[in-house]
Amino acid sequence: MSAETPPQIRQRIDALAAQGIDVIRVAYPDLIGSDRGRDVLLHHLPSAIGHGIAFCRAIYHTAALGEHSDIPGGLDAGMPDIAVRPDLATLVPLPWEPGVAWCIGDARDPETGRPAPESPRDLLRQVTGRLRESELTAVVGPELEYVLLDPDPASPTGWRRYAGAPGNVYTVGRKGDPDGHLLRTLRHLHDLGIGVTSGNREFDGGQFEINLDHSEALDAADRAFRFKAAVKELARIEGRLATFMAKPLNDGGGSGFHLHLSVVDSEQRNVFDDPGEPYGLSATARHAIAGLLNHAPALAALFNPTINSYKRFGPDTAAPWLIDWGLDNRGAMVRIPPERGSGSRLEIRLGDATANPYLAIAGLVAAVHLGISDAAEPPAPMSGYGYDAAGAPKLPTHLGEALDALEADHQLTEVLGKPFVDAFLTFKRDELTRFRSYVTDWEFREYSHLL
């Protein structure tokens, strides 16, 4: 939230008005990582900061299509308010929306002033605080993939893959992106100031990857949250749909959300680096790896949070399938890139692009904190082919299994906090219940004519 005094806020308003800004877009993440918010006229900003912007707390209990989960503090409590206050430290003009500046809001209980129990941003603050008790700070670099779709009224979904010609894997330019979508998007995101570094067309037609620079965990999550919202908005401007679904199409692969993690001490030294230890990795790095492996089944619920997520997994999918780690091996769940020194880091390849950045990074930091606190040791790194189930345990194969693993992992849930975990489990299990009663197009196609 803003720590600025009223005179400083007045100066800020005058400066924004001089830039032609007359609207402040205040957005905050819900449980699924989607952006909720309100456009506030500039002259109303002092009130929004002082009193907060009222939203129904039950928005945290509302699914993508509006279905509502029965979570304590929502319907049972009369659907009370939360107060969302702009965090002016995150304020930035929107390059593609003249006159509008965008900032992230923090959700508070208006009576107590405490964070809303379901607030993903505050959950991450809480978890990183646990790591800081050891005078350690998590540094995260996000990598996200998405699929771009064009309207197609003849398609059952109403959409078809943009630039669907085969090949063009890891290319740039018009051969894999005939309309120049990537360059426009990169330039807008650069102007937004969220630390975009590079991008390319990914493995499948219409699939793109854009990389973000590394920073402290909360800032990295803020930037990944904004990245996803911005990409979807820019696609809408083009008349297209950008989807971060794990596996949006039957004839293609999945979209990942990889996180590069390092940990620094109070003097900003990378504590994962140790040239005198095997593989150049310190004992702290080994403990962090072990924490991730030990809590991987539970982490899947946060990194792979949808029913669709588990259709991305399997042998030879370029997505991890087993709970393992390896040296520069993209078949492993935790890959150790070859850089050492200040570049020593872990690449956690578990996540898909539907993951809420705040929740995924909170789970990541929680597992690393537990591994370091327990001085846990990992098994030997895997090598070669990464999909031999004889070599390591499997990750959960469906959402229900991952949710059960999260509930059973008492160490991890203690760090995340029972109020959040209970709300998340109820919300996602309600999603499972709705799906189980829904007749899919696959079922109709498979059974209707012959049976």
Side-chain angles (χ1 to χ4, degrees):
M1 291 184 295
S2 175
E4 298 184 16
T5 64
Q8 289 173 320
I9 292 170
R10 185 70 257 170
Q11 292 174 1
R12 171 88 72 150
I13 289 173
D14 291 343
L16 290 167
Q19 296 175 52
I21 301 294
D22 63 348
V23 171
I24 305 300
R25 177 163 295 171
V26 183
Y28 63 98
D30 64 8
L31 273 182
I32 58 177
S34 185
D35 56 313
R36 311 282 182 167
R38 188 169 300 169
D39 285 342
V40 177
L41 291 171
L42 183 61
H43 72 267
H44 190 68
L45 183 60
S47 176
I49 293 170
H51 302 290
I53 305 166
F55 288 89
C56 178
R57 179 180 162 188
I59 196 65
Y60 284 123
H61 315 154
T62 304
L65 295 182
E67 295 90 347
H68 190 272
S69 298
D70 188 13
I71 295 173
L75 287 173
D76 67 314
M79 302 181 75
D81 275 350
I82 53 172
V84 176
R85 290 185 173 85
D87 180 353
L88 295 187
T90 68
L91 190 67
V92 60
L94 270 180
W96 57 87
E97 200 74 77
V100 178
W102 187 19
C103 74
I104 299 173
D106 283 314
R108 296 289 180 266
D109 182 319
E111 292 187 5
T112 66
R114 295 173 181 162
E118 303 90 346
S119 169
R121 199 169 189 238
D122 286 291
L123 175 70
L124 181 53
R125 284 191 177 110
Q126 166 195 314
V127 173
T128 54
R130 295 285 290 268
L131 189 64
R132 283 201 191 92
E133 291 172 4
S134 303
E135 297 187 341
L136 297 174
T137 300
V139 177
V140 178
E143 292 180 356
L144 276 151
E145 298 168 348
Y146 63 94
V147 173
L148 190 66
L149 302 171
D150 276 327
D152 182 3
S155 166
T157 62
W159 300 94
R160 59 178 167 79
R161 189 192 302 277
Y162 162 74
N168 297 320
V169 178
Y170 303 136
T171 61
V172 290
R174 298 304 172 105
K175 57 186 174 182
D177 180 17
D179 191 44
H181 160 83
L182 179 61
L183 282 180
R184 281 194 304 273
T185 302
L186 279 174
R187 287 169 175 148
H188 279 311
L189 295 175
H190 174 265
D191 292 343
L192 187 62
I194 59 171
V196 168
T197 61
S198 60
N200 57 269
R201 214 212 74 169
E202 249 292 333
F203 192 86
D204 287 329
Q207 187 182 49
F208 296 91
E209 179 179 68
I210 294 179
N211 297 333
L212 302 174
D213 204 354
H214 59 275
S215 64
E216 291 192 15
L218 180 61
D219 181 68
D222 281 344
R223 293 184 296 110
F225 165 67
R226 290 183 130 165
F227 169 83
K228 293 177 73 172
V231 165
K232 293 184 76 67
E233 188 75 355
L234 291 168
R236 291 184 187 105
I237 292 170
E238 295 179 359
R240 297 184 168 112
L241 173 66
T243 180
F244 289 88
M245 275 183 69
K247 185 176 170 65
L249 301 166
N250 280 312
D251 64 344
S255 291
F257 178 24
H258 299 166
L259 294 169
H260 291 252
L261 170 77
S262 57
V263 173
V264 297
D265 63 17
S266 58
E267 297 182 10
Q268 296 300 300
R269 292 177 298 199
N270 187 321
V271 299
F272 285 173
D273 180 59
D274 189 338
E277 289 289 319
Y279 318 117
L281 298 174
S282 68
T284 302
R286 295 198 311 272
H287 302 332
I289 293 166
L292 291 166
L293 301 184
N294 291 343
H295 299 283
L299 291 177
L302 303 176
F303 277 77
N304 312 112
T306 71
I307 292 161
N308 178 257
S309 294
Y310 296 83
K311 297 179 180 179
R312 168 177 166 263
F313 288 135
D316 304 321
T317 58
W321 191 44
L322 306 175
I323 300 172
D324 55 13
W325 71 287
L327 302 169
D328 199 13
N329 190 318
R330 285 177 169 82
M333 190 194 88
V334 179
R335 168 181 172 257
I336 312 301
E339 293 88 352
R340 294 295 181 268
S342 62
S344 296
R345 65 191 187 277
L346 320 179
E347 181 190 8
I348 295 81
R349 297 174 60 81
L350 173 62
D352 68 67
T354 56
N356 181 330
Y358 297 97
L359 302 189
I361 295 174
L364 166 66
V365 175
V368 165
H369 162 70
L370 289 168
I372 294 172
S373 298
D374 295 342
E377 289 290 343
M382 58 83 71
S383 61
Y385 182 66
Y387 298 95
D388 182 359
K394 284 185 184 179
L395 286 159
T397 57
H398 57 83
L399 179 60
E401 186 182 349
L403 295 175
D404 290 345
L406 175 61
E407 185 174 30
D409 191 331
H410 300 301
Q411 269 195 309
L412 191 71
T413 57
E414 188 277 327
V415 177
L416 297 175
K418 182 175 173 54
F420 162 76
V421 172
D422 286 349
F424 182 81
L425 289 172
T426 301
F427 183 75
K428 300 308 292 185
R429 283 175 172 154
D430 188 54
E431 181 179 325
L432 275 172
T433 299
R434 295 197 312 274
F435 177 74
R436 285 170 181 151
S437 64
Y438 186 81
V439 179
T440 66
D441 61 347
W442 183 92
E443 292 169 278
F444 186 86
R445 186 177 65 250
E446 186 78 5
Y447 305 129
S448 61
H449 294 283
L450 185 62
L451 299 182

